[in-house]
Amino acid sequence: AFRLASQLSTTASNVTDATASFVQAGFTQSESESLAKTSITLQSISDNAMEMSDSTSFLTSTLKSFNLTAGQGEHVINSINEVSNKYALTSNDLTDNLGKVSGVANEAGVSFEQLLGLMTASVEKTRNASKSANAFKSIFINLQQMDASGTIPKLTKQFDEFGIKMTDQNGATKSAYDLLNELSVAYKKVSDSTDVEKQNKMKKLLEDIGGKY
């Protein structure tokens, strides 16, 4: 712990506390030591001050939510750092808010990388990471909702209006990411048209997907 603390310019207690947190979360001792290093690195590259407990909590929830291995922890923080360096948002915008939606995102078939991309685009536009996370949470939940029979997605008929199938060949609901991509193409086509009825149907669909957001 002292050697690692010296290498990372932190305290030995930070190293032992972080390691203990990961062990408590179910990781092995070896994995926990590696994740402690990753967590301390995240704390050091954070754009704004970040508590060690917040760093370990973010890494734990992200890895668990997306069923990622301890070895992918470094990929997570590298992705956060790269995005915050390239785009108009801070690493804290992401670390403070991804956890609000990561569990729901995974259930909706959205990967960590896809969620990061969606959040980045949204935060750049809205300048509000918390609102973006809550909006995506509503969107993912609404896209996964089934109808009264429990056999098909609730919004199937509305998606059909635009030639989009909500289910794959096996009858499973497509990932929310794929549905949003297909919908964005349809949205542009409808927006560029003069079909007012279609435009109104698209507006209603977007309201039903986004909820209050």
Side-chain angles (χ1 to χ4, degrees):
F2 286 104
R3 186 171 70 253
L4 184 57
S6 177
Q7 291 173 355
L8 298 173
S9 301
T10 189
T11 64
S13 63
N14 262 352
V15 175
T16 54
D17 288 349
T19 302
S21 293
F22 289 116
V23 168
Q24 191 173 16
F27 294 99
T28 67
Q29 181 66 31
S30 176
E31 289 172 337
S32 297
E33 289 172 0
S34 175
L35 285 170
K37 182 178 179 179
T38 305
S39 185
I40 292 164
T41 301
L42 173 60
Q43 186 187 31
S44 68
I45 64 175
S46 178
D47 292 313
N48 300 316
M50 187 180 200
E51 295 293 331
M52 178 55 62
S53 58
D54 293 331
S55 181
T56 56
S57 177
F58 167 74
L59 263 180
T60 300
S61 65
T62 301
L63 295 177
K64 295 285 187 181
S65 293
F66 291 103
N67 301 313
L68 302 177
T69 65
Q72 290 172 288
E74 197 169 336
H75 165 66
V76 169
I77 68 162
N78 286 342
S79 300
I80 296 287
N81 192 40
E82 183 178 352
V83 165
S84 65
N85 287 336
K86 280 186 178 180
Y87 301 98
L89 74 170
T90 68
S91 60
N92 301 76
D93 283 332
L94 298 169
T95 56
D96 290 349
N97 293 285
L98 282 174
K100 296 175 182 176
V101 65
S102 57
V104 174
N106 183 57
E107 289 175 11
V110 178
S111 70
F112 164 72
E113 293 80 9
Q114 290 169 340
L115 178 59
L116 188 60
L118 290 170
M119 277 289 289
T120 299
S122 180
V123 176
E124 273 214 308
K125 185 176 181 179
T126 65
R127 294 292 188 268
N128 192 322
S130 179
K131 185 175 181 180
S132 294
N134 287 326
F136 281 121
K137 187 175 181 179
S138 292
I139 289 168
F140 296 155
I141 289 172
N142 290 332
L143 286 174
Q144 296 299 300
Q145 277 192 336
M146 304 301 280
D147 69 357
S149 71
T151 56
I152 60 171
K154 187 177 179 180
L155 299 174
T156 295
K157 287 184 179 179
Q158 287 170 270
F159 269 84
D160 283 345
E161 289 274 359
F162 303 99
I164 302 171
K165 296 295 181 186
M166 290 195 74
T167 54
D168 60 23
Q169 292 178 331
N170 298 317
T173 305
K174 292 178 182 175
S175 79
Y177 187 80
D178 288 343
L179 287 172
L180 289 175
N181 274 339
E182 290 183 56
L183 189 61
S184 68
V185 174
Y187 175 80
K188 187 177 188 309
K189 185 176 179 181
V190 171
S191 297
D192 291 342
S193 76
T194 55
D195 191 332
V196 177
E197 184 182 358
K198 279 276 191 184
Q199 289 172 351
N200 287 334
K201 286 181 177 179
M202 175 62 77
K203 182 181 178 182
K204 177 67 166 62
L205 175 55
L206 294 177
E207 288 173 353
D208 288 344
I209 292 172
K212 64 180 180 180
Y213 296 97

